[in-house]
Amino acid sequence: MEIKKILEKIPLRGSFENVLFWGVLFFCFLAAIASTIFTAIEDLGGLAIAYTALISLYFVILGVVAFATGKNQACYTAMCFAINTFIVPPMFFICGAFDSGMPFYCLTAILVTSLITNFKTRTAMLIYSVILNVGIFFYDWFHPDMSPTLEPLDGIVDQAVSFVFMAILMFTIVSYLLKAYSRERHDKDEVIAKLDFLSSHDPLTGLYNRRSFIEVVRNKVLVSPAGYYLLMFDIDFFKRINDNFSHIFGDQVLASIGKLAQETCSDDGEMAVRYGGEEFILLLRSENYNKAMVKAEIFRNNVSALKFDEQPNVHVNISGGLVDCYNPEFINYDKLLTVADERLYTAKSNGRNQIVGKK
């Protein structure tokens, strides 16, 4: 539970590289603090205690520099170089070499190095780290007097404590990174889904846009037009609404009509479209033309019945033209829309607030 609480405190936003830097820096700082405490408890000498305390301070200074400059990746590389050069090798000899748990810290240094995001830098640092660690292993073999000799029990205790601590630390780092990666991927998926939605829908009303409608008509409706009916309509005197009551209220009118249009197009194959400005299209499915006209009239009446809290005295009406997509004259998209548009303007010429269909 404590590890989970710690994870929640560490920032999981921003780029994955930045999250990686701050997370690993935080965990390395914890490891340095823990090493200072264990070194003091095991009485490995003042030099060991002072050096591990200095390492803790180094991580604090590195964090301040990164925060001030914003160069997190450069600081991460510097941290890896310092761990592999100035931190782990001296501590290896100061804290007891193979008699202690230092080999576990060497492995952790490799893990931290392997998380450098730049491939070339990561590879070079990894090779450097492996060569250096192997070098100090052999050096300790030929010069055992370089490190203090621990009592057998002290050595076992140090190794056990180091193993447990580094195991928890590595598990926590990996869990943290997986969580950060998962969060970043989730955020990207949300952005992609939003962009995908906006590419095919109108952001104000949530209806399909013109591009999506054209694709459906050309690839589906005109291929098999039976049962499809197209209602093109716009809002009567919409400019007056914007001029008299503001564009914000005008957007509310568009959104309300859009919601009503979505509710009307509830059958399979139907779609509600904001064609442009105050002009909309309903692609309806029906058994015959008369039933399609009834559905269109019900929608028109529902629009006229809309109430707006901000402007209770405002009544909105629409005028539209209805066409049967099965008409053999509609050999292409342009012809279909032209006839629907002509009937829309006939409705306006006849006094508005009506649907004009076939004669």
Side-chain angles (χ1 to χ4, degrees), residues 274-343:
R274 186 182 180 190
Y275 198 67
E278 73 271 22
E279 195 168 48
F280 295 80
I281 289 177
L282 300 186
L283 184 63
L284 305 173
R285 295 281 292 170
S286 187
E287 296 177 4
N288 55 58
Y289 189 88
N290 290 334
K291 290 185 177 181
M293 178 58 80
V294 169
K295 195 169 187 176
E297 286 291 348
I298 291 174
F299 173 73
R300 181 184 64 83
N301 290 327
N302 288 339
V303 171
S304 299
L306 283 173
K307 299 294 183 180
F308 304 95
D309 294 335
E310 292 187 8
Q311 301 293 339
N313 295 324
V314 173
H315 298 282
V316 178
N317 299 308
I318 63 170
S319 300
L322 181 69
V323 297
D324 184 352
C325 299
Y326 192 59
N327 191 321
E329 295 180 6
F330 304 144
I331 57 176
N332 56 46
Y333 167 83
D334 293 333
K335 182 64 176 177
L336 178 64
L337 268 292
T338 297
V339 174
D341 193 53
E342 289 174 352
R343 293 181 181 179

Side-chain angles (χ1 to χ4, degrees), residues 159-178:
Q159 290 176 3
V161 170
S162 298
F163 174 79
V164 172
F165 180 76
M166 299 314 296
I168 294 174
L169 185 64
M170 287 189 288
F171 174 81
T172 306
I173 289 177
V174 173
S175 298
Y176 164 74
L177 294 179
L178 287 175

Side-chain angles (χ1 to χ4, degrees), residues 39-68:
T39 300
I41 293 174
E42 294 166 4
D43 193 23
L44 295 179
L47 179 62
I49 297 173
Y51 197 76
T52 52
L54 186 63
I55 292 170
S56 303
L57 179 61
Y58 168 78
F59 288 123
V60 173
I61 295 174
L62 190 65
V64 172
V65 172
F67 184 80

Side-chain angles (χ1 to χ4, degrees), residues 208-330:
Y208 287 100
N209 59 23
R210 179 186 298 201
R211 185 180 68 85
S212 298
F213 172 70
I214 292 174
E215 290 181 358
V216 169
V217 170
R218 287 177 174 172
N219 300 327
K220 185 175 182 180
V221 175
L222 292 179
V223 174
S224 181
Y228 283 104
Y229 299 87
L230 189 149
L231 172 63
M232 175 181 282
F233 69 90
D234 68 10
I235 304 170
D236 295 335
F237 302 113
F238 184 68
K239 186 176 184 302
R240 293 183 187 178
I241 295 175
N242 279 330
D243 293 342
N244 295 334
F245 304 102
S246 80
H247 287 273
I248 294 177
F249 178 71
D251 286 346
Q252 293 177 5
V253 171
L254 292 171
S256 296
I257 292 178
K259 182 179 180 181
L260 195 60
Q262 285 181 321
E263 294 171 354
T264 300
C265 295
S266 57
D267 294 340
D268 291 340
E270 296 186 330
M271 68 184 304
V273 182
R274 186 182 180 190
Y275 198 67
E278 73 271 22
E279 195 168 48
F280 295 80
I281 289 177
L282 300 186
L283 184 63
L284 305 173
R285 295 281 292 170
S286 187
E287 296 177 4
N288 55 58
Y289 189 88
N290 290 334
K291 290 185 177 181
M293 178 58 80
V294 169
K295 195 169 187 176
E297 286 291 348
I298 291 174
F299 173 73
R300 181 184 64 83
N301 290 327
N302 288 339
V303 171
S304 299
L306 283 173
K307 299 294 183 180
F308 304 95
D309 294 335
E310 292 187 8
Q311 301 293 339
N313 295 324
V314 173
H315 298 282
V316 178
N317 299 308
I318 63 170
S319 300
L322 181 69
V323 297
D324 184 352
C325 299
Y326 192 59
N327 191 321
E329 295 180 6
F330 304 144

Side-chain angles (χ1 to χ4, degrees), residues 30-40 48-49 52 91 95 105 165-166:
L30 288 183
I33 292 292
S35 295
T36 304
I37 296 172
F38 294 149
T39 300
I49 297 173
T52 52
M91 284 185 62
C95 296
Y105 287 87
F165 180 76
M166 299 314 296

Side-chain angles (χ1 to χ4, degrees), residues 101-121:
M102 282 308 302
F104 298 117
Y105 287 87
C106 295
L107 288 175
T108 304
I110 296 291
L111 170 65
V112 172
T113 300
S114 68
L115 296 175
I116 296 175
T117 54
N118 183 277
F119 176 75
K120 291 182 179 179
T121 304

